[in-house]
Amino acid sequence: MMRTGTFATIAVLLGAAGFLLPQVVANPYYFYAGYVVLQYIVIATGWNILGGYAGYINFGTSAFFGAGVYTSAYLMQAFEAPLVVQIVAAALVGVALGVATGYLTLRIQGVYFSIATLALVVVLETVVHNTEALGGASGLTTIGPPPPAWFKGQTQYVFCVMLVLALLAVVIARWIETSWLGRGFRAIRASEPAAESCGVPTLRMKLIACAISGGIIAAAGAPYPSYAYHVEPVSAFGLLIALNALAMPLIGGTRSWMGPVIGAVLLGTIQQVATVTISSEYNILAVGLLLIAFVVAAPEGLLGLLSAVRGGVRWSAKPARKPA
Amino acid sequence: MTAPLLSVRQVEKTFGALRALGPVELDLRPGERLGLIGPNGSGKTTLINCIAGLLVPTAGAIVYAGEDVTRRPAHKRARMGIARSFQIPRPFTGMTVLENLFVPLDYLGRGAGDARARAEGVLRSMRLDGRRDAPVESLSQLELRKLELARALVTEPRLLIADEAMAGLADSEIDEILSLLLDLNRTGVAVIMIEHIMHAVMRFSERVICLETGRIIAEGTPQSIVEDPHVQRVYFGEQQNRP
């Protein structure tokens, strides 16, 4: 585990570098592509709090992301709310959605929970499709006020906003990982009956995980209307969001905050390169192939693989038996 | 006469049409050592799951320390001092031995301020201090059994339920676990031991209860249970570890 001082220094340096970038990099495409990678860092980090730490696999990430997108778009259209208000409101909607979903589904476990979260995407997308105030199937055009002059453009501005969100998400995830909350989540992941017997209020803890995870993922969707200028249900609730949210932590490693970050940077970058060099349609193929490769060759992700190569047994799946 | 620490009153548990337990009636005194034996499927684990709060009885009541806890969840019973180990060790994987002990300390608020010192003290008493920073995935079967007990012990329980804590261990290892349980009992902790290793039950228990098809068929001193013809027929007949 990285020391807190080192972690804080790197976070501050990355933040400062990101804010200086618009002054030295002229081509807005880098910010356009970088935004997507950062967005996936936030999504994957949020997903990992419930899916990685607590072990509850959420297939419904797009529902939370889409809820954030539409909360933000609606506030922008109806009230001309500033971006920071959109983000806070989206996070709150995500928390509420997480608690509601958790309350309804967390009494069921394993694959049943995952299926229930998948249903949430269908429900929300259908609601948006049929809600006139949200633009229905044709969506909403979302043009906000011009960004502060420092950023030299809207794309650079939302890139910096997403950088702040990514840093915040990682700080939250790292704090959870090292705190009593993280130990409770990991105990639930290992064995719910044993966790209960050690005093962990498992249902409440799962609700907390759902709420934090939902809030972070929804916050990731909030700047999207300012980034894309137009939102519609198929993109906001798209399969790629849910697939990436699952694949990135699995590829990087689900036990540590670093895993989703590594997975998001790796997969997000590959997807962006593939989009410009091959075809945007091959994105999902790249995700699928990488996911299969990691599930077969490194089920504990890159960090688990690294640990195994170093001779560690820390993340092996089964406890060792005493030799006969 | 001392009030019982635990009273199981006409407790029954059914799963659909299957009656797994009951009705069962038993009392446990503070600091008592109770052995619970019976063939596989006799309802031992169902009974202790009802006592620990992982199962809600279909009928009857469980009274602990004078309070009706029948519908109270397991984590609240843990707070009241009921601790348990599991038949198959359930370590919190992805953590070290010491971190495993931090989980109950975090959530039960025991040893506030000196949680680390308390956890290290318990590991020393369980002779696990040398493995303090080891990932639990690297522990041997004996060490896993000790970790289960250490995790229960760190909660400062008044009642410990040890579910086959010696299964799969060699004789010397059984002696080590027995010695640890006896040391714990000397501090005033009541212990319910579920075990198939009869010589361990005989050495440990003050009183033994034998269950069969969910009902108590015999209760008494270890010697009287061994000599009970009914127990001999339904249980020892299939036992390899006869005392």
Side-chain angles (χ1 to χ4, degrees):
Chain A
M1 172 66 71
M2 192 185 287
R3 286 171 180 274
T4 303
T6 313
F7 174 81
T9 307
I10 292 173
V12 169
L13 286 176
L14 279 175
F19 274 75
L20 286 174
L21 223 50
Q23 309 303 316
V24 289
V25 177
N27 187 346
Y29 173 74
Y30 293 112
F31 297 93
Y32 190 81
Y35 172 92
V36 178
V37 176
L38 290 171
Q39 173 190 278
Y40 277 124
I41 289 177
V42 183
I43 291 172
T45 300
W47 182 93
N48 200 47
I49 288 167
L50 180 66
Y53 296 169
Y56 272 74
I57 305 298
N58 175 9
F59 285 153
T61 308
S62 323
F64 293 93
F65 180 80
V69 168
Y70 270 94
T71 302
S72 174
Y74 180 75
L75 288 175
M76 188 193 277
Q77 282 254 321
F79 305 107
E80 293 178 358
L83 187 51
V84 65
V85 174
Q86 295 169 32
I87 292 169
V88 172
L92 291 175
V93 167
V95 166
L97 196 59
V99 171
T101 310
Y103 192 77
L104 291 172
T105 59
L106 282 172
R107 285 172 207 276
I108 52 177
Q109 293 178 2
V111 71
Y112 303 105
F113 170 79
S114 303
I115 291 168
T117 56
L118 196 57
L120 184 67
V121 183
V122 180
V123 170
L124 284 193
E125 191 179 344
T126 307
V127 168
V128 171
H129 261 291
N130 293 286
T131 306
E132 207 173 315
L134 297 175
S138 55
L140 294 170
T141 299
T142 49
I143 298 172
W150 167 269
F151 297 101
K152 304 199 167 181
Q154 180 73 359
T155 310
Q156 292 90 326
Y157 174 54
V158 287
F159 169 86
C160 289
V161 169
M162 193 52 85
L163 177 63
V164 172
L165 283 180
L167 289 172
L168 271 176
V170 171
V171 166
I172 291 169
R174 186 180 180 277
W175 176 78
I176 287 172
E177 192 180 318
T178 53
S179 73
W180 58 276
L181 211 53
R183 280 193 288 275
F185 291 158
R186 282 183 284 160
I188 289 170
R189 174 183 168 133
S191 167
E192 283 197 47
E196 266 286 321
S197 300
C198 284
V200 180
T202 53
L203 185 60
R204 197 183 314 153
M205 292 294 291
K206 289 185 286 183
L207 281 175
I208 291 171
C210 247
I212 298 173
S213 179
I216 291 174
I217 296 168
Y224 184 82
S226 303
Y227 169 80
Y229 300 113
H230 182 80
V231 299
E232 40 79 31
V234 175
S235 301
F237 296 96
L239 172 68
L240 192 62
I241 303 282
L243 192 61
N244 275 337
L246 186 83
M248 288 166 173
L250 290 179
I251 286 169
T254 56
R255 305 280 176 121
S256 156
W257 62 268
M258 260 192 266
V261 175
I262 292 169
V265 170
L266 189 73
L267 198 54
T269 307
I270 288 172
Q271 286 177 337
Q272 289 308 303
V273 172
T275 301
V276 287
T277 56
I278 309 170
S279 155
S280 59
E281 297 304 314
Y282 282 104
N283 274 344
I284 293 183
L285 183 65
V287 180
L289 290 175
L290 265 174
L291 198 54
I292 291 167
F294 271 86
V295 165
V296 173
E300 297 290 338
L302 278 172
L303 290 177
L305 191 65
L306 194 65
S307 174
V309 168
R310 283 178 177 167
V313 289
R314 175 149 193 171
W315 292 335
S316 66
K318 290 179 181 172
R321 300 280 301 181
K322 188 184 175 186
Chain B
M1 186 175 165
T2 320
L5 176 66
L6 173 76
S7 290
V8 175
R9 294 177 183 164
Q10 295 298 312
V11 163
E12 293 178 36
K13 182 67 190 175
T14 55
F15 298 99
L18 174 74
R19 181 192 292 271
L21 183 69
V24 164
E25 179 101 16
L26 74 86
D27 282 342
L28 183 77
R29 298 188 316 273
E32 189 179 0
R33 300 190 303 274
L34 175 71
L36 192 57
I37 62 170
N40 289 333
S42 60
K44 302 185 297 294
T45 300
T46 305
L47 173 60
I48 62 164
N49 279 341
C50 288
I51 295 171
L54 293 177
L55 287 176
V56 178
T58 313
I62 291 167
V63 178
Y64 172 79
E67 286 185 57
D68 186 337
V69 296
T70 314
R71 307 198 76 79
R72 212 168 283 189
H75 67 268
K76 287 190 177 167
R77 295 192 206 188
R79 250 168 241 168
M80 296 175 74
I82 299 179
R84 68 167 295 176
S85 68
F86 288 85
Q87 193 175 342
I88 297 166
R90 299 185 183 199
F92 297 141
T93 49
M95 296 190 207
T96 63
V97 168
L98 189 64
E99 283 173 322
N100 261 256
L101 268 60
F102 282 162
V103 173
L105 287 170
D106 284 337
Y107 287 89
L108 298 174
R110 307 283 203 270
D114 61 345
R116 175 175 283 268
R118 165 137 192 83
E120 285 176 349
V122 169
L123 288 178
R124 254 194 313 279
S125 71
M126 302 298 291
R127 299 186 273 282
L128 259 182
D129 43 329
R131 304 286 278 149
R132 193 188 72 165
D133 297 318
V136 292
E137 287 86 345
S138 70
L139 298 188
S140 70
Q141 188 67 11
L142 174 64
E143 287 167 338
L144 283 172
R145 296 282 178 194
K146 284 183 174 181
L147 174 63
E148 285 271 305
L149 292 177
R151 217 169 51 191
L153 193 56
V154 82
T155 66
E156 298 175 349
R158 292 174 69 193
L159 167 62
L160 171 68
I161 304 167
D163 190 0
E164 298 197 29
M166 288 163 269
L169 300 185
D171 281 351
S172 61
E173 295 169 339
I174 290 171
D175 288 345
E176 196 174 343
I177 297 288
L178 260 185
S179 152
L180 291 168
L181 287 174
L182 285 166
D183 285 348
L184 175 63
N185 176 254
R186 277 186 209 106
T187 65
V189 177
V191 180
I192 300 177
M193 178 198 276
I194 295 95
E195 197 53 73
H196 282 299
I197 301 167
M198 276 309 293
H199 66 84
V201 178
M202 294 288 289
R203 282 164 61 192
F204 180 79
S205 311
E206 294 170 290
R207 183 161 61 107
V208 176
I209 284 176
C210 182
L211 282 177
E212 206 243 341
T213 58
R215 289 168 187 267
I216 295 175
I217 58 162
E219 178 177 356
T221 61
Q223 196 56 42
S224 71
I225 290 292
V226 168
E227 289 165 0
D228 187 299
H230 194 180
V231 176
Q232 285 183 353
R233 193 171 62 252
V234 303
Y235 186 48
F236 294 143
E238 64 176 41
Q239 274 284 311
Q240 292 180 334
N241 289 307
R242 292 189 66 159

